[in-house]
């Protein structure tokens, strides 16, 4: 299995300030099709997850441009340019280059 | 609007069986891969199984040989037959729509989940 390791595991951010989450994979995530199947999801308390970013840096439908993804190979980052109240919850990175595996999750709270 | 409505979760004894269902609407069901993802109480997300739009199936190692995923494109329905259930299968099970026809790749839409509890 590909192991996904997120840091930090928790984050306390002031409203309007930026936030950044790192995700590292135990193997290179470049697929034989040439794409890197790395995505980011957000789960608010008591809600199912929702897709934020796919293929490293593509925002999914309806996701505000405050969210951005970057990276390559085995190291990836999710950035929120200005944290808002609705951003609280847990963020997961996920790879699907091999059978899907998720990071442990990073809990974001408002300071 | 994509809607995914899971059902079938309940309390079951270890070694028992259960069939989960997911009723899909709001999109062309037969064009997309579908998956089950679970979340144990207070824990993170774990992919369980996926089925391509044409029926190719994929399983995580811990459920292979015990769980069977299937779909009925004529009924816009996804299923998960769960046999030989173990304590560690206790979780909220989500029905998930992929972005591709042959997944799993990206988990675009999620249901609210159905809860499975395995306990004597």
């Amino acid at each position: 299995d590909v192991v996904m390791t997120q840091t930090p595991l928790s984050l306390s951010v002031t409203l309007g300030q930026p936030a950044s989450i790192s995700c590292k994979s135990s193997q290179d995530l470049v697929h034989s099709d040439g794409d890197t199947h790395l995505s980011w999801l957000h789960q608010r308390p008591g809600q199912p997850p929702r897709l934020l970013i796919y293929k490293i840096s593509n925002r999914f439908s309806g996701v505000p441009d405050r969210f951005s993804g970057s990276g390559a190979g085995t190291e990836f980052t999710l950035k929120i340019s200005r944290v808002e109240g609705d951003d609280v919850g847990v963020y997961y990175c996920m790879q699907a280059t091999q059978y899907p595996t998720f990071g442990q999750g990073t809990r974001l709270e408002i300071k | 609007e994509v809607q995914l409505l899971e059902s079938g979760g309940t309390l079951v004894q270890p070694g028992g069986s259960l069939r989960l269902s997911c009723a899909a609407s709001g999109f062309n069901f037969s064009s997309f891969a579908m998956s089950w993802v679970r979340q144990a109480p207070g824990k993170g997300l774990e992919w369980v199984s996926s089925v391509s739009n044409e029926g190719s199936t994929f399983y995580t190692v811990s459920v292979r040989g015990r769980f069977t995923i299937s779909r009925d494109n004529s009924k816009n329905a996804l299923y998960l037959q769960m046999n030989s259930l173990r304590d560690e299968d206790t979780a909220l099970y989500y029905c998930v729509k992929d972005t591709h026809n042959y997944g799993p790749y990206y988990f675009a839409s999620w249901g609210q989940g159905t809860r499975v509890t395995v306990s004597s």
Side-chain angles (χ1 to χ4, degrees):
Chain A
D1 283 5
V2 178
V3 177
M4 306 296 285
T5 304
Q6 291 181 226
T7 53
L9 297 184
S10 65
L11 205 47
S12 183
V13 182
T14 301
L15 288 172
Q17 292 301 301
S20 180
I21 301 169
S22 169
C23 176
K24 295 185 180 181
S25 58
S26 60
Q27 301 177 32
D28 194 306
L29 295 185
V30 176
H31 192 272
S32 57
D33 64 6
D35 286 327
T36 298
H37 296 298
L38 185 285
S39 59
W40 291 92
L41 302 102
H42 174 217
Q43 185 175 31
R44 295 187 178 108
Q47 295 296 313
R50 67 167 182 140
L51 180 63
L52 293 176
I53 302 284
Y54 66 97
K55 217 183 294 185
I56 302 177
S57 59
N58 295 271
R59 277 187 299 277
F60 190 58
S61 174
V63 176
D65 60 9
R66 300 184 293 105
F67 292 89
S68 63
S70 62
T74 61
E75 299 193 8
F76 306 92
T77 303
L78 174 71
K79 291 184 178 178
I80 309 173
S81 59
R82 299 172 308 280
V83 168
E84 297 184 359
D86 275 351
D87 299 339
V88 298
V90 182
Y91 291 81
Y92 295 94
C93 60
M94 183 193 109
Q95 68 78 26
T97 293
Q98 295 186 23
Y99 284 162
T101 50
F102 295 89
Q104 321 96 299
T106 295
R107 185 171 302 276
L108 186 147
E109 64 170 27
I110 303 300
K111 195 181 296 183
Chain B
E1 180 193 0
V2 172
Q3 292 197 341
L4 300 167
L5 184 60
E6 303 96 335
S7 61
T10 189
L11 171 65
V12 60
Q13 292 189 339
S17 297
L18 207 54
R19 190 196 198 203
L20 306 184
S21 299
C22 172
S25 61
F27 64 102
N28 187 359
F29 182 76
S30 63
S31 294
F32 293 92
M34 298 293 295
S35 298
W36 291 97
V37 175
R38 66 186 179 186
Q39 188 167 34
K43 302 296 184 183
L45 302 169
E46 181 186 23
W47 170 74
V48 175
S49 181
S50 297
V51 58
S52 73
N53 66 324
E54 294 184 343
S56 296
T57 58
F58 313 91
Y59 299 94
T60 193
V61 169
S62 64
V63 309
R64 204 169 291 161
R66 299 189 299 123
F67 290 10
T68 302
I69 191 171
S70 62
R71 64 190 296 159
D72 185 337
N73 288 341
S74 69
K75 295 182 178 179
N76 290 352
L78 177 71
Y79 306 103
L80 186 68
Q81 177 65 43
M82 310 165 68
N83 298 332
S84 303
L85 282 161
R86 305 167 179 168
D87 290 352
E88 56 265 34
D89 295 319
T90 293
L92 186 63
Y93 284 73
Y94 292 105
C95 170
V96 183
K97 170 188 172 290
D98 206 280
T99 55
H100 289 61
N101 62 334
Y102 195 92
Y105 284 116
Y106 305 109
F107 294 154
S109 301
W110 298 62
Q112 291 295 314
T114 186
R115 189 164 299 281
V116 174
T117 303
V118 184
S119 175
S120 53

